[in-house]
């Protein structure tokens, strides 16, 4: 029996409403144009802005305190409204009560405004719907570690189902920034350092969310993750080749293969030009090159930042004109800049045709989600379980698949009967399981005393349940990010009396300096925050074997621990079911199968680093400072072993064709386990330098002891495309080295040669490696 697996590679179903004839004789496009023709200028501008009902002291966006709403909601909506910002996700509110308010608000727009157009409601949804009591899934770095796009699709569909039930139409996710520097605080929102892995996983999220009728928003287009020195908002000086071949690729895939319906610009400037005011990016690349026909929305306050931070606009009116002309359609979260457009049009400073262009895009989108026909006369949901068992089951599977066993000296899995000392600041802290954009760390932390509203066992809770509470002792040792060592003595004593010490260390996700990782929480170094390394050293000195468990939102420089600790387990903010997944791995109930989606750095001084470096990027020639990572991209151990044989590739492949690869994989160990088969390639000679390794395709497979399977991967030659010296993306003839292994480091090798003419890559070119098992 052959199982075909396309890595979600076919076109996704379009979620747009059909353009059929209506009873009034208007087709869908004719309808929105007729509606536009009846609008006053003020009504047009109203469709291009959001409104955010927020309270003083709640900072969940950069420089939020610098902005105030220009008008009250009830005053402004007499002209209508484009977006309602975060109706559920700004503060802890009862979902049913808020839904009742939202239905009434939308009903008032329908009945109380001249044109009767409801607003699009958008929410954050990166690790689940960012609302009180909603399921919280693993962070995107964990999605990358799982190498399981189908499971990500399931997760996103579950998130979308909750959103749609609550009257939410658009989600501000996924983040498709390719990791370039782990010092950047927003690494915890990203999927991987490889653009193909980001693209396949991110597009899978888009498909899942949009399958429920919720519009996905791609963030942050583009270049945001390549800021100088990993500083948030830092300038970007990426060249056009890096943009095209690395940073654009996930967005291209999500738009062309996932039909993503919205894109959010990045805050950054690239070579001195802020993206929010760059028509070459927002129109030239998105619309002219890729044919994107959705909406471009502002990252929060991003239009006003053209004036306030970038200083390329004289005032907010100038900023609004520049952004609108560049191709930005909707200002979020409010109308601080775009509300000036009506005056600018009347004064002749802005062409009304640009306003009309954006309004048409908004109206088409409202038609797609059914808002132009919505009356909101139905009843809102009276009660909804935002954390049902099905959601938790998906969260558990994804958490289990994402945990990476980085090193193991034979101590794991822990045998029954061992006395275990659990030590460390992240062992008994629920927030340690969640990323920056989780509701708990994003919003609820600003409301002390309000319960999480859903079950969140800590790692300590889960280890006690897994091993038996009578065998487990506990000491905190220190906080995540402080210099207080007063708990060291207790931690040392607790570890000394145990057979093994499990040290749970890492990050606390937060915003704008309130955490060790997260938006606005960048790092100068990649050492464990605070005195956590000193705590580990103190426990190591006891002689008790140490299992180091890292609960983090970025990779840290832990090469010192890989040989000195009995085992090292990496978990990237694994969500509400993450503690049980970690305990299951420690005990052996779960066989670890996660793979590193980002290289474990050897040092902060080697950053920025990517496994996609050219030959000289390794630092092995001409410098005394090699950039060798502590563990490579794709690395991860198991409690079983896997062997590869019979790697077959054809001797030649047409440059306009596809490369068929097969390899036989066998579980040579004593327990069942999942392997992630990874195919890499290297273009031997090219007119521009090429990476020494490049992920061409992957497939997760589950094998029983002794079981074998043949994995077939069909790689379109476009996976080897690059921008040549004229900045044209092409596939050129020449030799290609290939290997299959458990990481980017070379294992079972083969080679082939691309033959034929140089082929130019187009939108019609295949981008996805398909796989099958036989």
């Amino acid at each position: 029996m052959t199982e075909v697996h396309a890595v979600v590679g076919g076109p996704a179903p379009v979620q747009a409403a059909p353009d059929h004839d209506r009873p009034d004789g208007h087709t869908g496009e004719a309808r929105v144009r007729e509606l536009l023709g009846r609008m006053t200028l003020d009504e047009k501008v109203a469709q291009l802005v959001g409104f955010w009902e927020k309270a003083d002291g709640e900072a969940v966006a950069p420089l939020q305190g610098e902005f105030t709403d220009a008008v009250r909601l009830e005053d402004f909506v007499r002209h209508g409204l484009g977006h309602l910002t975060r109706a559920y996700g700004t503060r802890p509110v009862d979902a049913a009560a808020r839904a009742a308010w939202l239905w009434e608000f939308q009903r008032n727009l329908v009945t109380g405004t001249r044109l009767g157009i409801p607003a699009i409601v958008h929410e954050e949804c990166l690790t689940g719907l960012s609302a009180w009591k909603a399921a919280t899934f693993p962070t995107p770095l964990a999605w990358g570690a799982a190498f399981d796009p189908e499971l990500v699709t399931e997760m996103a569909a579950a998130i979308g189902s909750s959103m749609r039930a609550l009257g939410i139409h658009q989600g501000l996710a996924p983040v498709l920034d390719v990791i370039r520097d782990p010092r950047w605080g927003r690494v915890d929102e990203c999927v991987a350092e490889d653009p193909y892995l980001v693209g396949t996983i991110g597009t899978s999220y888009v498909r899942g969310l949009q399958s429920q009728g919720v519009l996905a928003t791609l963030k942050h287009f583009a270049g945001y993750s390549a800021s100088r020195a990993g500083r948030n908002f830092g300038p970007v000086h990426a060249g056009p080749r890096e943009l095209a071949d690395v940073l654009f690729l996930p967005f291209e895939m999500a738009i062309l293969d996932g039909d993503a319906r919205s894109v959010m610009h990045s805050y950054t400037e690239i070579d001195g030009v802020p993206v929010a005011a760059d028509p070459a990016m927002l129109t030239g690349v998105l619309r002219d090159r890729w044919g994107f026909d959705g909406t471009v929305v502002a990252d929060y306050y991003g239009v006003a930042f053209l004036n306030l931070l970038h200083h390329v606009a004289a005032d907010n009116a100038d900023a609004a004109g520049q952004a609108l002309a560049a191709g930005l359609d909707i200002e979020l979260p409010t109308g601080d800049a775009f509300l000036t457009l009506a005056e600018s049009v009347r004064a002749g400073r802005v062409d009304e045709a640009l306003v009309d262009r954006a309004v048409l895009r908004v109206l088409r989108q409202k038609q797609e989600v059914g808002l132009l026909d919505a009356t909101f006369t139905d009843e809102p949901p009276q009660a909804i379980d935002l954390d049902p068992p099905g959601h938790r089951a998906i969260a558990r599977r994804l958490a289990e698949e994402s945990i990476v066993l980085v090193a193991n000296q034979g101590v794991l899995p822990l045998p029954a009967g061992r006395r275990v000392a659990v030590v460390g600041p992240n062992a008994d802290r629920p927030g340690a399981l969640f990323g920056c954009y989780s509701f708990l760390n994003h919003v609820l932390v600003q409301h002390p005393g309000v319960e999480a509203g859903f079950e969140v066992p800590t790692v300590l809770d889960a280890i006690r349940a897994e091993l038996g509470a009578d065998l487990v002792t506990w000491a905190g040792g220190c906080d995540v990010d402080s210099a207080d060592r007063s708990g060291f003595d207790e931690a040392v004593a607790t570890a000394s009396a145990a057979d093994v010490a499990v040290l749970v260390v890492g990050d606390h996700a937060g915003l704008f300096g309130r955490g060790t990782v997260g938006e606005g929480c960048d790092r100068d170094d990649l050492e464990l925050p605070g005195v956590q390394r000193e705590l580990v050293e103190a426990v190591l000195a006891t002689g008790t074997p140490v299992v180091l468990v890292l609960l983090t939102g970025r990779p840290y420089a832990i090469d010192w621990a890989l040989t000195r600790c009995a085992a090292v387990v990496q978990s990237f903010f694994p969500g509400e079911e993450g503690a049980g997944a970690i305990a299951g791995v420690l005990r052996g109930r779960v066989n670890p199968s996660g793979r590193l989606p980002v290289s474990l750095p050897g040092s902060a001084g080697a950053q920025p680093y990517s496994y996609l470096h050219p030959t000289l990027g390794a630092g092995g020639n001409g410098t005394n400072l090699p950039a060798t990572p502590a563990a490579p991209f794709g690395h991860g151990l198991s409690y079983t072993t896997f062997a590869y044989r019979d790697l077959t590739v054809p001797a030649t492949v047409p440059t306009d064709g596809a490369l068929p690869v097969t390899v036989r994989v066998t579980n040579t160990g004593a327990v069942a386990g999942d392997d992630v088969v990874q195919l890499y390639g290297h273009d031997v000679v090219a007119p521009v330098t090429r990476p020494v390794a490049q992920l061409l395709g992957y497939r997760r497979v589950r094998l029983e002891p002794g079981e074998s399977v043949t994995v077939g991967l069909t790689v379109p030659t476009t996976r080897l495309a690059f921008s040549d010296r004229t900045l044209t993306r092409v596939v050129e003839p020449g030799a290609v080295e290939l290997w299959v292994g458990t990481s980017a480091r070379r294992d079972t090798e083969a080679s082939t040669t691309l033959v034929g003419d140089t082929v130019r890559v187009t939108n019609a070119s295949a981008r996805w490696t398909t796989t099958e098992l036989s």
Side-chain angles (χ1 to χ4, degrees):
M1 179 178 180
T2 298
E3 178 190 349
V4 177
H5 175 79
V7 192
V8 293
V14 177
Q15 297 301 317
D19 191 16
H20 55 69
D21 289 338
R22 293 171 43 80
D24 58 12
H26 289 118
T27 63
E29 182 63 17
R31 184 189 188 195
V32 298
R33 289 187 176 275
E34 186 273 337
L35 191 55
L36 175 70
R38 292 194 286 123
M39 284 182 165
T40 67
L41 181 57
D42 287 328
E43 287 170 335
K44 292 176 183 178
V45 172
Q47 293 298 315
L48 304 184
V49 301
F51 194 95
W52 195 5
E53 185 186 39
K54 54 191 186 297
D56 294 338
E58 296 173 343
V60 294
L63 274 69
Q64 181 178 320
E66 302 296 316
F67 296 89
T68 58
D69 296 315
V71 292
R72 293 184 305 156
L73 178 59
E74 54 268 31
D75 294 333
F76 181 71
V77 297
R78 68 182 186 274
H79 298 304
L81 183 64
H83 271 242
L84 186 64
T85 295
R86 301 189 67 176
Y88 295 90
T90 300
R91 62 187 61 86
V93 293
D94 177 77
R98 194 60 170 168
W101 175 90
L102 178 60
W103 257 247
E104 180 65 21
F105 170 78
Q106 296 278 40
R107 193 179 301 122
N108 288 339
L109 284 176
V110 173
T111 61
T113 62
R114 190 175 72 89
L115 297 173
I117 305 172
I120 289 175
V121 181
H122 74 258
E123 286 289 354
E124 299 286 358
C125 57
L126 187 63
T127 60
L129 171 60
S130 184
W132 193 36
K133 301 184 180 181
T136 307
F137 297 88
T139 206
L141 261 180
W143 313 350
F147 279 79
D148 192 342
E150 283 74 24
L151 186 52
V152 171
T153 299
E154 284 188 52
M155 175 193 69
I159 295 168
S161 67
S162 293
M163 296 175 73
R164 192 64 178 180
L166 291 175
I168 301 166
H169 312 97
Q170 184 164 344
L172 303 188
V175 172
L176 299 185
D177 296 302
V178 180
I179 297 169
R180 306 300 278 171
D181 191 330
R183 294 173 296 181
W184 188 47
R186 302 195 77 167
V187 163
D188 107 82
E189 301 174 51
C190 302
V191 173
E193 71 181 74
D194 179 86
Y196 181 67
L197 183 56
V198 177
T200 52
I201 296 294
T203 302
S204 299
Y205 183 99
V206 168
R207 289 173 172 164
L209 195 71
Q210 294 191 166
S211 72
Q212 303 302 305
V214 177
L215 308 172
T217 306
L218 310 182
K219 299 162 58 173
H220 308 84
F221 184 76
Y224 192 21
S225 56
S227 61
R228 284 284 179 93
R231 297 305 196 258
N232 199 40
F233 279 36
V236 170
H237 295 279
R241 184 169 291 104
E242 182 180 354
L243 286 169
D245 293 351
V246 178
L247 300 174
F248 284 173
L249 182 64
F251 294 92
E252 180 182 20
M253 295 174 72
I255 289 169
L256 295 178
D257 299 317
D259 192 31
R261 305 306 301 141
S262 189
V263 172
M264 176 181 282
H265 78 82
S266 74
Y267 284 130
T268 198
E269 61 188 68
I270 301 177
D271 198 23
V273 180
V275 174
D278 189 355
M281 292 278 285
L282 300 186
T283 297
V285 175
L286 278 180
R287 300 192 186 276
D288 298 342
R289 185 186 304 179
W290 295 337
F292 174 67
D293 62 353
T295 56
V296 177
V297 303
D299 203 344
Y300 284 14
Y301 307 115
V303 180
F305 287 167
L306 295 174
N307 165 33
L308 298 176
L309 298 182
H310 294 292
H311 304 297
V312 297
D315 52 29
N316 282 357
D318 184 12
Q322 290 189 41
L324 186 70
L328 197 151
D329 303 309
I330 303 165
E331 183 181 15
L332 299 179
T334 61
D336 294 275
F338 268 26
L339 285 176
T340 66
L341 285 172
E343 180 182 348
S344 294
V345 169
R346 293 184 181 111
R349 294 188 297 270
V350 171
D351 187 346
E352 189 170 357
L354 294 176
V355 174
D356 291 351
R357 179 181 71 176
V359 172
L360 279 173
R361 292 168 181 166
V362 174
L363 292 178
R364 292 185 190 114
Q365 199 140 83
K366 289 190 173 185
Q367 182 171 249
E368 287 181 19
V369 297
L371 278 173
L372 295 189
D373 294 310
T375 62
F376 290 90
T377 55
D378 60 322
E379 288 297 316
Q382 300 302 307
I384 180 170
D385 185 356
L386 297 179
D387 187 31
H391 286 39
R392 295 197 76 104
I394 294 170
R396 181 172 59 254
R397 288 163 54 203
L398 187 52
E400 290 176 352
E401 290 187 3
S402 71
I403 295 172
V404 183
L405 181 60
V406 182
N408 187 18
Q409 309 301 326
V411 71
L412 293 181
L414 294 174
R418 287 291 181 94
R419 294 171 301 154
V420 176
V422 177
V423 176
N426 276 348
D428 198 33
R429 196 171 61 83
L433 300 167
F434 303 124
C436 168
Y437 267 75
S438 65
F439 189 79
L440 190 147
N441 284 331
H442 199 72
V443 176
L444 207 58
V445 68
Q446 299 181 73
H447 297 269
V450 178
E451 62 178 8
F454 60 97
E455 185 181 355
V456 189
T458 67
V459 174
L460 176 61
D461 295 332
I463 291 176
R464 283 172 171 161
E466 191 81 39
L467 303 180
D470 58 325
L471 294 173
V472 178
T473 52
W474 145 249
C478 65
D479 292 328
V480 167
D481 194 22
S482 79
D484 185 0
R485 300 169 178 80
S486 60
F488 277 26
D489 289 345
E490 182 188 8
V492 166
T494 302
S496 298
D499 297 319
V500 63
V502 174
L503 264 70
V504 189
V505 300
D507 276 320
H508 168 63
L511 290 166
F512 316 125
R514 298 197 297 265
T516 59
V517 73
E519 185 173 0
C521 297
D522 311 314
R523 301 289 294 184
D524 276 328
D525 61 52
L526 290 173
E527 293 294 328
L528 290 173
V531 294
Q532 292 184 81
R533 178 171 176 176
E534 293 181 41
L535 174 66
V536 179
E537 298 277 4
V539 175
L540 281 170
T542 67
T544 300
V546 169
V547 175
L548 186 65
V549 176
L550 297 146
L551 272 174
T552 70
R554 63 158 58 87
Y556 281 97
I558 55 157
D559 53 332
W560 54 271
L562 297 184
T563 55
R564 296 176 59 202
C565 292
V568 176
V569 176
Q570 173 69 64
S571 181
F572 296 110
F573 294 145
E576 64 185 20
E577 290 285 329
I582 290 169
V585 165
L586 297 180
R587 180 66 182 89
R589 175 176 52 81
V590 176
N591 191 347
S593 59
R595 303 292 185 263
L596 290 174
V598 60
S599 306
L600 282 188
S603 71
Q607 307 310 312
Y609 172 87
S610 168
Y611 92 96
L612 292 166
H613 62 77
T615 301
L616 292 178
N621 296 291
T623 177
N624 64 325
L625 294 175
T628 308
F633 172 87
H635 170 74
L637 303 177
S638 171
Y639 295 148
T640 189
T641 54
F642 299 96
Y644 301 99
R645 59 182 175 87
D646 301 334
L647 176 61
T648 62
V649 300
T652 61
V653 176
T655 50
D656 61 352
L659 170 63
V661 177
T662 61
V663 64
R664 191 73 171 166
V665 185
T666 303
N667 181 344
T668 55
V671 296
D674 285 14
D675 186 28
V676 178
V677 179
Q678 304 165 48
L679 174 66
Y680 293 88
H682 170 58
D683 188 349
V684 178
V685 177
V688 297
T689 59
R690 302 292 294 130
V692 295
Q694 176 185 354
L695 181 68
L696 300 181
Y698 61 90
R699 177 64 190 265
R700 173 179 277 270
V701 296
R702 182 164 184 80
L703 296 172
E704 296 297 320
E707 184 181 5
S708 297
V709 67
T710 296
V711 180
L713 303 98
T714 302
V715 184
T717 54
T718 313
R719 290 290 305 114
L720 291 159
F722 60 91
S723 297
D724 66 12
R725 294 189 185 188
T726 68
L727 295 178
T728 303
R729 288 188 72 205
V730 298
V731 178
E732 287 195 341
V736 176
E737 297 171 344
L738 301 162
W739 63 98
V740 173
T742 56
S743 75
R745 289 180 180 161
R746 296 193 177 215
D747 198 336
T748 305
E749 299 184 61
S751 63
T752 190
T753 302
L754 303 185
V755 296
D757 297 331
T758 297
V759 176
R760 184 170 181 166
V761 175
T762 69
N763 289 351
S765 301
R767 283 164 292 278
W768 296 75
T769 294
T770 58
T771 68
E772 64 177 18
L773 303 181
S774 59

